[in-house]
Amino acid sequence: TRLLNDAEVHRLDHDNDAMNDSGRRCQYVLVDYGMDRETVRKVPQLHLARLWWDENDNKIYGAKVVNRTLGDCANVCGKLLDAALSDARPGVQAWATLHGLSDHALKVQNKQGDDESTIQAIARNQVDSLQDKDGWEEVCLDFVEQGLSQEANLYRDNGGVFSHIEHGVDTSEYADTCGGSMAVFRFS
């Protein structure tokens, strides 16, 4: 669409003072062409998509399409990722949400006849209580490899190399849909 083709990226810096560290979090916002920075900062309803880079941790995360009529994360957030990668230091990591993983895990469990209590414990974000994390790790990898995470697809399709799965780290409102797991990608 014209809107997506003409859209431009604005970088909005946020101090991390409330978190007691000296770094910054930078929010990259995709907006219609010609918008000034202050309007972009003050009116989030005008954002088409967003992505964050934590300068302290050199970590990219939180890619989100706000105007979903434009398409999915992998198709809309490329300009944002390019801007964040140009600012990031070498070795930056991108952390992808795996929302929907719990439902996927239950489907896999039903097909394979696995112990339901294990999958349910993971889906409820009780990873530390599990004895068989390897089974969950396999389900996570399968979810990423099948392209079921839009954010993971964004990072992989733009040169990110899958590194590993982190458990219990997604603290978003949708953490219960993924057992708190996130996929980590590395960029050189």
Side-chain angles (χ1 to χ4, degrees):
T1 69
R2 184 209 60 78
L3 180 60
L4 187 56
N5 290 336
D6 294 345
E8 58 188 14
V9 175
H10 285 264
R11 174 180 160 160
L12 307 176
D13 293 337
H14 300 269
D15 291 330
N16 284 347
D17 293 337
M19 300 165 67
N20 292 327
D21 60 34
S22 58
R24 283 190 314 219
R25 291 184 315 138
C26 303
Q27 183 182 38
Y28 298 85
V29 180
L30 191 67
V31 295
D32 196 8
Y33 177 79
M35 296 192 135
D36 67 277
R37 184 173 314 280
E38 268 319 295
T39 301
V40 171
R41 184 180 299 281
K42 291 179 182 177
V43 188
Q45 295 83 352
L46 297 174
H47 300 178
L48 304 175
R50 301 181 192 112
L51 179 137
W52 291 87
W53 171 55
D54 186 310
E55 185 177 22
N56 232 18
D57 295 334
N58 202 29
K59 177 169 74 172
I60 295 170
Y61 62 96
K64 177 182 180 179
V65 177
V66 179
N67 183 338
R68 294 186 181 149
T69 62
L70 295 174
D72 66 24
C73 191
N75 295 320
V76 176
C77 295
K79 287 181 181 180
L80 298 172
L81 180 59
D82 289 344
L85 288 172
S86 71
D87 290 343
R89 296 183 306 279
V92 64
Q93 293 183 347
W95 290 50
T97 58
L98 300 178
H99 300 157
L101 174 62
S102 295
D103 286 341
H104 175 73
L106 290 171
K107 289 176 189 171
V108 169
Q109 171 255 318
N110 287 337
K111 286 181 184 174
Q112 297 176 351
D114 291 341
D115 178 17
E116 187 175 319
S117 62
T118 300
I119 296 297
Q120 286 182 350
I122 295 169
R124 289 187 189 114
N125 208 5
Q126 298 170 339
V127 177
D128 293 337
S129 67
L130 297 176
Q131 304 210 355
D132 180 21
K133 287 185 187 176
D134 291 338
W136 182 247
E137 189 89 11
E138 289 174 27
V139 173
C140 292
L141 292 173
D142 180 58
F143 189 79
V144 171
E145 288 171 0
Q146 285 190 38
L148 300 176
S149 165
Q150 291 183 16
E151 191 173 7
N153 294 343
L154 167 69
Y155 301 141
R156 184 184 51 236
D157 294 351
N158 287 281
V161 176
F162 175 78
S163 175
H164 62 282
I165 300 290
E166 284 286 335
H167 302 286
V169 293
D170 185 345
T171 58
S172 73
E173 62 189 284
Y174 301 108
D176 62 339
T177 70
C178 62
S181 299
M182 296 182 82
V184 179
F185 291 81
R186 292 193 186 280
F187 289 86
S188 23

